[in-house]
Amino acid sequence: AQRVTQPEKLLSVFKGAPVELKCNYSYSGSPELFWYVQYSRQRLQLLLRHISRESIKGFTADLNKGETSFHLKKPFAQEEDSAMYYCALSGHNFNKFYFGSGTKLNVKP
Amino acid sequence: DVKVTQSSRYLVKRTGEKVFLECVQDMDHENMFWYRQDPGLGLRLIYFSYDVKMKEKGDIPEGYSVSREKKERFSLILESASTNQTSMYLCASSQDRKAFFGQGTRLTVV
């Protein structure tokens, strides 16, 4: 069965420090992986997807099929990055999205 | 920009009431979803619909039903609300595997 695991509920870093939000998945096939972000009092929105191989707001994520991971990274965290981050997976039935439990990122000044 | 609109931001209902949560999207998406969002549990899929009158159960459908009579509208129904259904409910629509979310409805069942 499909599963998305985000082991950290809360991650606190200082401004300018590197940040890595972990995501591991299990899926019997080739899924598509996403990161969604929810800023305070805003709706959940797509941050990036692995097939795009792009950097959004300085964040990148690489799909590692061997480790079944899709960690989100940013070399220098900013205060405005403070938000809730969800890793998500879409599988063979591309109609469905499965989400992890979320990691709250707190970037301290 | 895709707009997904949920009819209420906040709702307070009594135990046993029948509750309707409405969601409308304006981009002609075929797929629509209802999730509930709880701290520490993330988003859990209740139901989704891939076309008008077509629906499929998600991971936690018990106590819920849905209706999709028109492509743009997807309704979540709590047949008899219970306190354990107090939660944030998120509606989404998707196209090309990009999901767009509504602002959420915080439902409190007392």
Side-chain angles (χ1 to χ4, degrees):
Chain A
Q2 59 283 330
R3 187 178 181 89
V4 179
T5 303
Q6 293 179 250
E8 303 136 331
K9 288 188 177 179
L10 173 65
L11 188 61
S12 285
V13 300
F14 285 101
K15 177 183 172 182
V19 64
E20 181 180 50
L21 286 77
K22 291 185 167 48
C23 173
N24 288 89
Y25 68 91
S26 63
Y27 188 77
S28 55
S30 295
E32 183 166 356
L33 275 294
F34 309 82
W35 277 98
Y36 280 81
V37 61
Q38 189 170 30
Y39 301 102
S40 179
R41 289 185 288 277
Q42 293 188 29
R43 61 186 68 198
L44 196 60
Q45 58 186 287
L46 178 66
L47 180 62
L48 54 81
R49 54 199 296 189
H50 89 268
I51 62 167
S52 301
R53 294 187 167 274
E54 57 194 347
S55 173
I56 304 291
K57 299 186 179 183
F59 284 98
T60 58
D62 290 318
L63 180 62
N64 185 323
K65 292 185 179 180
E67 295 183 0
T68 58
S69 68
F70 188 57
H71 303 327
L72 183 68
K73 300 176 184 179
K74 185 169 183 176
F76 307 103
Q78 303 299 313
E79 289 180 69
E80 55 266 29
D81 296 328
S82 294
M84 194 75 179
Y85 291 81
Y86 291 95
C87 183
L89 171 158
S90 179
H92 292 142
N93 180 348
F94 296 124
N95 292 329
K96 287 187 185 179
F97 294 84
Y98 297 92
F99 286 81
S101 54
T103 298
K104 185 172 184 178
L105 176 63
N106 180 31
V107 182
K108 297 176 283 189
Chain B
D1 261 358
V2 174
K3 196 72 180 296
V4 179
T5 303
Q6 295 181 230
S7 53
S8 305
R9 283 301 298 269
Y10 301 94
L11 275 179
V12 180
K13 297 291 181 181
R14 294 193 181 278
T15 301
E17 276 193 79
K18 190 168 186 176
V19 181
F20 293 86
L21 303 184
E22 306 287 348
C23 175
V24 176
Q25 51 100 359
D26 66 358
M27 283 300 289
D28 205 37
H29 288 173
E30 291 184 347
N31 303 321
M32 295 189 74
F33 309 83
W34 276 105
Y35 290 89
R36 61 178 284 176
Q37 183 182 31
D38 298 290
L41 296 177
L43 276 72
R44 292 179 292 167
L45 182 63
I46 304 171
Y47 267 98
F48 85 100
S49 170
Y50 48 93
D51 204 347
V52 174
K53 296 190 188 294
M54 306 304 284
K55 60 186 179 185
E56 194 169 309
K57 292 180 180 179
D59 298 319
I60 52 164
E62 297 79 18
Y64 304 94
S65 62
V66 290
S67 173
R68 187 129 180 240
E69 297 296 318
K70 293 185 178 181
K71 194 173 188 178
E72 67 270 20
R73 187 179 296 270
F74 191 35
S75 303
L76 180 69
I77 304 153
L78 286 67
E79 298 291 341
S80 176
S82 64
T83 55
N84 63 12
Q85 292 178 309
T86 290
S87 186
M88 173 69 85
Y89 289 87
L90 298 183
C91 174
S93 70
S94 78
Q95 185 88 351
D96 299 328
R97 276 174 269 160
K98 280 187 185 178
F100 299 86
F101 284 85
Q103 76 278 27
T105 297
R106 182 162 294 282
L107 172 67
T108 302
V109 182
V110 298

